[in-house]
Amino acid sequence: MKPIRLIVSACLTGETVRYDGKNKPSDYVTGQLAKAFELVSVCPEFESNLGVPREAIRLCGAPED
């Protein structure tokens, strides 16, 4: 039986893709979740060719808009 795929932020798996040129590895993600799931690491900003490092993206406005 194939494991369930779980999409996780690439910086949480230790990939250096954050806006500040760093990563933010999570022991919970790479330890506990990796035991139960097939992790698929994704960083939409990096994959959109925004580069590393880059200016931080800030969401503004009312959520209902």
Side-chain angles (χ1 to χ4, degrees):
M1 187 171 180
K2 289 177 123 179
I4 296 171
R5 289 183 184 167
L6 181 66
I7 297 172
V8 296
S9 181
C11 61
L12 297 178
T13 64
E15 293 183 47
T16 307
V17 294
R18 284 175 47 103
Y19 73 94
D20 56 5
K22 299 178 181 176
N23 57 37
K24 193 169 185 151
S26 166
D27 291 336
Y28 179 72
V29 171
T30 58
Q32 298 300 312
L33 292 180
K35 291 177 186 175
F37 301 96
E38 176 186 344
L39 301 182
V40 179
S41 67
V42 175
C43 178
E45 294 93 343
F46 180 75
E47 293 174 20
S48 297
N49 293 319
L50 292 181
V52 174
R54 61 183 171 272
E55 288 197 33
I57 294 175
R58 304 273 186 235
L59 298 177
C60 301
E64 60 273 5
D65 291 336

